[in-house]
């Protein structure tokens, strides 16, 4: 797939008419794109891939859904199937609802100039990888095998947030530079606390503990096992809820992922609220509004549509967190383990829903900040407003039909 290349001779930087996909690759942030080119100064032995050409690419995530959110109910109430389980988005071709792809730029120092995009599950992706980056997926050489394993691990997480990558790539963490996983100790502690908040009362009730120090000690032991698969506590706890040991790893990864997105969502709310308030204000009217009523009315309708999409995606995330809280509440108040067990059994599916919703909302805020220069340019002209709304609309489209959960 050839990503749009602007006309020759244009200066480096933001291309006002570049494709929305290219815009996400260049400016979508760490959740959307893993820019390996930025690690060019690292020694070869500590870079993510053994294949040198792969280290001059950008790994990115993009939706692969059949539906566009604008074609469906935007109430955001969420839907369940007949068995009361979350309805997951349908992916084209039956694959995952979020694609992992490799962007091979024409010029690694000028990403907006365009390049090639290779989806990892597209037809003939093996030959495309060999042609464009020299990686032979079928080779048995240890270097190639390691690179294929890394690509596979990256493909198994819904977004490229450093916290998730750190966990997914733990098998090669001893050789890869820690700069690829730039997560602060404060952020990691916040994720642990989201899980600990639910665990403390469960531990106290299950073990008949009253002393806070004992509850803390046993809870910390469980949390340590979530971060270290060699420790047995997490598997034992999940087993007590009726979750088979063979599913424990995916449940643990999904649970950690949901906790991460909860922390991330709480922190991103301010930017999303600012964007929604701006869309509702007179600042969102084009500067030339009074001179072209028809165009202004069309933009007003488009603005309302984008606002509803943002609201729907945020409500999808809130629905997941609500179900998390309610199922835990039933366990603690009524002793009913089934709802919490069901939530954990489906946690991987919720994890993917949250992954792209979170990625979309953060990119919306990033687009808004770039077009308004972080609020320094409160009002835009027609062309600027159309471009901004178009980019926001694209990042929210084809990722949810309003009936995910």
């Amino acid at each position: 797939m050839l990503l749009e290349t602007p006309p020759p001779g244009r200066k480096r930087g933001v291309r006002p008419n570049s494709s929305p996909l290219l815009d996400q690759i260049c400016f979508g942030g760490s959740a959307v794109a893993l820019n390996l080119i930025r690690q060019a100064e690292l020694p070869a032995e500590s870079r993510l891939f053994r294949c040198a050409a792969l280290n001059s690419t950008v790994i990115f995530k993009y939706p692969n859904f059949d539906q566009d959110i604008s074609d469906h109910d935007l109430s955001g109430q969420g839907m369940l199937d007949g068995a009361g389980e979350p309805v997951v988005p349908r992916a084209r071709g039956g694959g995952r609802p979020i694609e992992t792809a490799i962007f091979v730029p024409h010029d690694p120092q000028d990403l907006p100039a365009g390049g090639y995009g290779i989806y990892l599950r597209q037809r003939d992706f093996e030959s495309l990888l060999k042609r464009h980056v020299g990686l032979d997926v079928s080779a048995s050489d240890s270097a190639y095998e390691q690179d294929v394993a890394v690509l596979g691990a990256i493909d198994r997480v819904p977004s490229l947030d450093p916290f998730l990558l750190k966990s997914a790539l733990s098998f090669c963490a001893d050789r890869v530079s820690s700069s690829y996983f730039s997560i602060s100790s404060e952020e990691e502690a916040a994720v642990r606390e989201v899980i600990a908040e639910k665990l403390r009362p469960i531990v106290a009730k299950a073990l008949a503990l009253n002393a806070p120090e004992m509850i803390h000690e046993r809870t910390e032991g469980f949390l340590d096992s979530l971060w270290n698969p060699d420790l047995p506590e997490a598997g034992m706890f999940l087993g007590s809820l009726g979750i088979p040991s063979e599913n424990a790893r995916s449940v643990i990864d999904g649970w950690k992922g949901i906790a991460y997105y909860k922390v991330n969502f709480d922190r991103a709310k301010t930017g999303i609220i600012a964007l929604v308030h701006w869309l509702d204000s007179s600042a969102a009217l084009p500067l030339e509004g009074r001179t072209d009523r028809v165009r202004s009315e069309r933009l007003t309708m488009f603005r309302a549509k984008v606002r509803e999409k943002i609201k729907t995606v945020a409500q999808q995330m809130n629905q997941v967190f609500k179900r998390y809280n309610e199922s835990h509440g039933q366990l603690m108040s009524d002793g009913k383990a089934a709802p919490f067990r069901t939530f954990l059994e489906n946690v991987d599916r919720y994890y993917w829903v949250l992954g792209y919703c979170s990625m979309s909302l953060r990119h919306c805020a990033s687009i808004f900040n770039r077009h308004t220069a972080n609020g320094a340019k409160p009002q835009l002209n027609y062309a600027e407003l159309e471009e901004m709304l178009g980019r926001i609309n694209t990042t929210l489209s084809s990722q949810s039909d309003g009936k995910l959960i």
Side-chain angles (χ1 to χ4, degrees), residues 189-396:
V191 174
R192 281 176 66 104
E193 179 55 31
V194 170
I195 300 176
E197 179 187 19
K198 294 289 186 285
L199 281 176
R200 290 188 193 103
I202 296 176
V203 168
K205 188 172 184 177
L207 301 179
L209 299 175
N210 294 311
E213 62 274 12
M214 287 300 297
I215 296 171
H216 174 78
E217 180 181 335
R218 297 303 293 270
T219 301
E220 287 300 306
F222 178 86
L223 288 168
D224 288 342
S225 71
L226 289 182
W227 268 255
N228 182 355
D230 296 329
L231 298 176
E233 284 88 347
M236 292 168 61
F237 171 77
L238 295 175
S240 71
L241 290 174
I243 295 174
S245 58
E246 61 267 23
N247 297 339
R249 190 70 254 157
S250 63
V251 169
I252 288 170
D253 289 342
W255 197 355
K256 287 166 64 178
I258 284 182
Y260 174 77
Y261 288 128
K262 178 67 169 67
V263 171
N264 190 274
F265 183 56
D266 288 344
R267 292 177 175 175
K269 278 182 181 177
T270 301
I272 298 302
I273 291 171
L275 169 55
V276 171
H277 284 173
W278 186 88
L279 290 171
D280 285 338
S281 73
S282 59
L285 299 174
L287 288 168
E288 314 96 322
R290 295 185 178 181
T291 61
D292 191 337
R293 174 176 287 184
V294 173
R295 195 178 182 189
S296 180
E297 289 177 350
R298 180 165 54 83
L299 274 177
T300 297
M301 289 188 291
F302 190 27
R303 193 173 75 243
K305 176 183 176 181
V306 167
R307 183 192 183 283
E308 285 305 305
K309 285 190 177 187
I310 293 171
K311 179 181 176 182
T312 298
V313 173
Q315 286 177 328
Q316 289 295 315
M317 297 190 74
N318 276 323
Q319 285 279 40
V320 174
F321 302 137
K322 180 181 178 182
R323 184 155 305 161
Y324 182 28
N325 292 332
E326 287 180 346
S327 63
H328 178 267
Q330 287 180 279
L331 173 63
M332 298 314 303
S333 62
D334 303 327
K336 296 179 180 178
F340 194 58
R341 180 178 63 247
T342 299
F343 180 87
L344 292 178
E345 286 172 341
N346 288 284
V347 76
D348 186 62
R349 287 188 269 178
Y350 289 128
Y351 176 37
W352 282 83
V353 169
L354 290 177
Y356 199 77
C357 288
S358 172
M359 194 162 52
S360 294
L361 291 178
R362 280 182 285 171
H363 189 48
C364 288
S366 172
I367 293 169
F368 173 60
N369 289 335
R370 283 192 287 112
H371 278 266
T372 61
N374 288 314
K377 191 176 184 182
Q379 197 167 7
L380 308 177
N381 60 35
Y382 276 120
E384 292 168 333
L385 186 57
E386 283 178 329
E387 182 181 351
M388 187 191 81
L389 290 175
R391 294 198 184 286
I392 291 176
N393 183 62
T394 297
T395 200
L396 293 167

Side-chain angles (χ1 to χ4, degrees), residues 1-6 19 21-26 32-37 53-61 100-120 129 132-133 151:
M1 175 183 65
L2 177 65
L3 298 183
E4 178 181 323
T5 305
S19 75
L21 176 54
L22 188 56
D23 180 77
Q24 292 211 32
I25 292 169
C26 296
V32 179
L34 176 61
N35 188 335
L36 300 170
I37 303 162
L54 263 179
N55 289 315
S56 294
T57 66
V58 179
I59 310 291
F60 68 98
K61 296 282 185 176
T100 305
I102 301 170
F103 174 57
V104 185
H106 295 314
D107 179 356
Q109 302 308 313
D110 186 17
L111 299 185
Y116 289 90
I118 306 169
Y119 286 109
L120 293 190
L129 280 175
H132 290 291
V133 298
L151 284 174

Side-chain angles (χ1 to χ4, degrees), residues 108-128:
Q109 302 308 313
D110 186 17
L111 299 185
Y116 289 90
I118 306 169
Y119 286 109
L120 293 190
R121 285 180 301 280
Q122 76 179 85
R123 185 173 57 187
D124 298 330
F125 83 93
E126 296 97 336
S127 61
L128 291 171

